[in-house]
Amino acid sequence: MTEHVRVAVIGSGFGGLGAAVRLRREGVTDFVVLERAGSVGGTWRDNTYPGCRCDVPSHLYSFSFAPNPEWPRNFSGQPHIRAYLERVADTFGLRPHLRFHSEVHSARWDAERLLWELDTASGPLTADVVVSATGPLSEPKVPDVPGLADFPGKVFHSARWDHDYDLRGKRVAVIGTGASAAQIVPAVQPDVRHLTLFQRTPPWVLPRADRRITAAEQWLHAKAPLTRVLRRQLLWAIRELQVSAFTKHPELLGLLESLARSHLRKAVKDPALLAELTPDYRIGCKRILLSNDYYPALARPNVDVVSSGLAEVRGSTLVAADGREAEADAIVFGTGFRVTDMPIAERVTGAGGTTLAEEWKDGMAALRGTSAAGFPNFLTIIGPNTGLGNSSMILIIEAQLNYLADFMRQLDTLGGRAALDARPSAVGVWNRGLQTRMRRTVWNTGGCDSWYLDAEGRNTVVWPGTTSEFRKVTRRVDLTEYQVLRAPKVRTAAVAAEAAR
């Protein structure tokens, strides 16, 4: 007999573990967390490249309900963040709910039984509610480069780092200049024979105000929790005050640009390299990078910057779009992830018989970043337009967990077997409001092409407001924005009998 659960959570990163903790706090214990890998951690398990760390301060990039007074640095590295998530799983008793090696191959809505049928790598199951917490940074994106398949050397993506391959003494090409590349380049540059960075667009880079958190500070945060709370609140408030510059008044970002230019000029003296590394768009349009060693690494004698994208591979020769060539023994792609075309969307089939990917072919849209029309009892953590350009995604996740909790309460209040399906009109109103606000933001007006934008140039990734505003609009589920679905009585009785067996 197929196993049935109240809730199936997909993914065990911050979103999935957060959902699991919140479900237990709401008294929901009949749930599973489906994880394709063999351990928790999500993107912080998968990204193990040299230099990997977070660009949000640790005391803000953590759950409010699971503080960690022992963060070792202002900006902690990947091993510490992953260890933190393992502790969360243990502290909140989540281990019995975890199903490892259980990748979800498909999820299909059964309109008669009002439940989801899931096919996973560990077997089938059904669920009343599905919470998708796969995250936008889970599936690497590798460009289709002519000749890449015939490259005689090593090729891998930053999120699938091959630790068995030794880069020391090799000619290495790094493709892309996003957050991962900015950490990888200075980490490997001292050891490689030569490094070639293929840069389509130079990023804006600001100094990273990083330092070791002293033992005295850690002791104080552990013994006097209020100090830890105040530290987190200060970090949060500073970022909240910055939001209007990104969302309403991009012209105010000039001061940040001056700081970034000064940061660049201090490290790079060569006029030609300086020109190649100077952005020609408004700061904030693309993700702002934080690094103290990226520019110094690029100025080293064994590094070349090619201001053009990789166009072709001819044997061990890499050819840029501008015709420049470079020899390489290894290619590292720091080309980001499938954000606006999340792979999980291809595997989820809703009430109309179409997949979420098909419904989103003209752009992602979900009510309050959570519920897509035609997909009853299906909630997405870090869904469309929930991303942040300058703060901690954990704040957005916790706001969506409030919404999840009230969603479960509303289902219980309805009584009997029921489901909630977002009304297309409500999704439309929500999305049109977002896109109207988006017109003024730096992400749409800054003069760049970023991964925030989909193929049609729409920004379906970022939230155009403060985190406190998002928390307010996701505090409660408004039933007028949903259709209440009821199962036929015959089917309801059959499902009840099946569950009782």
Side-chain angles (χ1 to χ4, degrees):
M1 186 184 74
T2 301
E3 178 187 11
H4 180 79
V5 294
R6 177 69 167 145
V7 183
V9 179
I10 308 174
S12 67
F14 270 100
L17 295 182
V21 171
R22 192 56 188 266
L23 287 170
R24 282 182 63 93
R25 286 189 163 184
E26 292 296 316
V28 179
T29 57
D30 182 19
F31 69 89
V32 294
V33 179
L34 304 170
E35 170 54 55
R36 66 182 178 182
S39 60
V40 303
T43 192
W44 295 106
R45 175 199 59 236
D46 296 341
N47 286 268
T48 60
Y49 59 80
C52 182
R53 62 180 57 248
C54 188
D55 57 6
V56 176
S58 303
H59 285 276
L60 191 60
Y61 196 81
S62 48
F63 290 121
S64 63
F65 54 79
N68 176 22
E70 299 176 356
W71 288 116
R73 303 192 65 86
N74 281 350
F75 296 89
S76 293
Q78 175 267 342
H80 294 103
I81 299 174
R82 182 179 180 184
Y84 170 78
L85 289 171
E86 292 281 2
R87 287 199 301 275
V88 167
D90 291 330
T91 301
F92 293 91
L94 304 182
R95 296 290 177 186
H97 300 277
L98 294 170
R99 302 280 181 87
F100 294 127
H101 306 294
S102 297
E103 182 173 6
V104 175
H105 298 310
S106 67
R108 179 177 292 273
W109 176 250
D110 186 324
E112 290 192 7
R113 295 191 294 166
L114 290 192
L115 52 76
W116 285 94
E117 298 175 335
L118 294 95
D119 177 32
T120 81
S122 60
L125 74 153
T126 58
D128 296 332
V129 177
V130 171
V131 179
S132 177
T134 58
L137 307 182
S138 59
E139 197 65 31
K141 180 172 64 176
V142 176
D144 185 14
V145 181
L148 181 61
D150 298 321
F151 179 69
K154 193 70 177 179
V155 179
F156 50 87
H157 189 278
S158 60
R160 300 292 183 267
W161 195 270
D162 189 340
H163 291 276
D164 293 328
Y165 184 78
D166 191 353
L167 292 178
R168 286 178 297 182
K170 302 293 197 309
R171 298 169 300 177
V172 179
V174 176
I175 316 301
T177 53
S180 299
Q183 295 175 345
I184 292 168
V185 168
V188 304
Q189 174 270 321
D191 298 322
V192 303
R193 173 181 163 192
H194 192 273
L195 190 149
T196 304
L197 178 67
F198 284 78
Q199 167 191 272
R200 286 193 306 175
T201 309
W204 284 102
V205 183
L206 289 171
R208 180 190 291 272
D210 193 21
R211 66 170 178 83
R212 184 177 64 86
I213 296 177
T214 66
E217 287 175 280
Q218 294 179 16
W219 179 88
L220 185 63
H221 290 332
K223 300 300 182 182
L226 181 59
T227 62
R228 188 181 61 232
V229 172
L230 291 175
R231 184 175 191 150
R232 180 183 175 95
Q233 287 298 104
L234 178 60
L235 292 168
W236 167 78
I238 291 171
R239 283 153 181 79
E240 290 288 278
L241 292 172
Q242 296 171 345
V243 170
S244 63
F246 288 87
T247 59
K248 297 177 182 178
H249 305 289
E251 68 278 3
L252 298 179
L253 294 167
L255 181 60
L256 274 183
E257 289 184 3
S258 298
L259 179 61
R261 286 196 183 95
S262 175
H263 183 53
L264 171 59
R265 287 194 297 268
K266 287 178 182 177
V268 178
K269 304 304 180 183
D270 178 66
L273 182 58
L274 188 66
E276 288 185 319
L277 297 178
T278 302
D280 62 357
Y281 56 90
R282 175 67 77 184
I283 193 170
C285 182
K286 294 170 74 77
R287 182 177 175 179
I288 301 173
L289 307 185
L290 303 179
S291 178
N292 298 327
D293 48 15
Y294 177 62
Y295 286 145
L298 296 183
R300 300 300 296 170
N302 67 331
V303 177
D304 282 330
V305 176
V306 177
S307 296
S308 185
L310 178 61
E312 184 182 359
V313 177
R314 299 173 188 160
S316 60
T317 303
L318 279 58
V319 184
D322 64 2
R324 293 177 63 181
E325 298 182 356
E327 297 295 314
D329 302 308
I331 302 175
V332 178
F333 283 98
T335 46
F337 301 85
R338 294 178 59 183
V339 176
T340 58
D341 60 338
M342 292 185 287
I344 189 65
E346 300 169 356
R347 308 180 184 190
V348 179
T349 303
T354 55
T355 66
L356 190 55
E358 290 170 327
E359 292 297 317
W360 281 352
K361 68 182 186 297
D362 294 325
M364 299 189 300
L367 178 63
R368 304 182 188 275
T370 307
S371 300
F375 295 80
N377 284 9
F378 184 89
L379 297 90
T380 301
I381 305 297
I382 315 183
N385 290 113
T386 58
L388 294 175
N390 74 316
S391 192
S392 173
M393 278 306 303
I394 313 307
L395 302 172
I396 292 290
I397 289 172
E398 290 198 29
Q400 289 193 285
L401 298 183
N402 291 337
Y403 198 75
L404 165 64
D406 199 49
F407 193 96
M408 300 303 298
R409 292 188 210 109
Q410 297 290 351
L411 284 178
D412 290 340
T413 300
L414 290 171
R417 191 149 193 85
L420 294 175
D421 186 10
R423 296 181 182 275
S425 58
V427 176
V429 169
W430 174 259
N431 195 53
R432 285 192 295 273
L434 286 177
Q435 293 306 318
T436 297
R437 294 177 60 179
M438 206 68 72
R439 293 172 191 162
R440 302 173 58 184
T441 68
V442 68
W443 309 299
N444 281 42
T445 65
C448 74
D449 181 18
S450 74
W451 56 266
Y452 298 147
L453 308 179
D454 63 18
E456 303 301 320
R458 283 184 297 267
N459 191 329
T460 58
V461 173
V462 184
W463 166 247
T466 63
T467 60
S468 55
E469 181 188 358
F470 189 79
R471 187 167 60 245
K472 185 181 299 183
V473 299
T474 53
R475 185 168 290 134
R476 295 282 184 271
V477 170
D478 182 355
L479 281 182
T480 65
E481 296 181 329
Y482 287 85
Q483 302 175 61
V484 178
L485 308 180
R486 296 282 187 180
K489 292 184 179 180
V490 174
R491 299 300 299 176
T492 301
V495 170
E498 181 180 325
R501 284 201 294 270

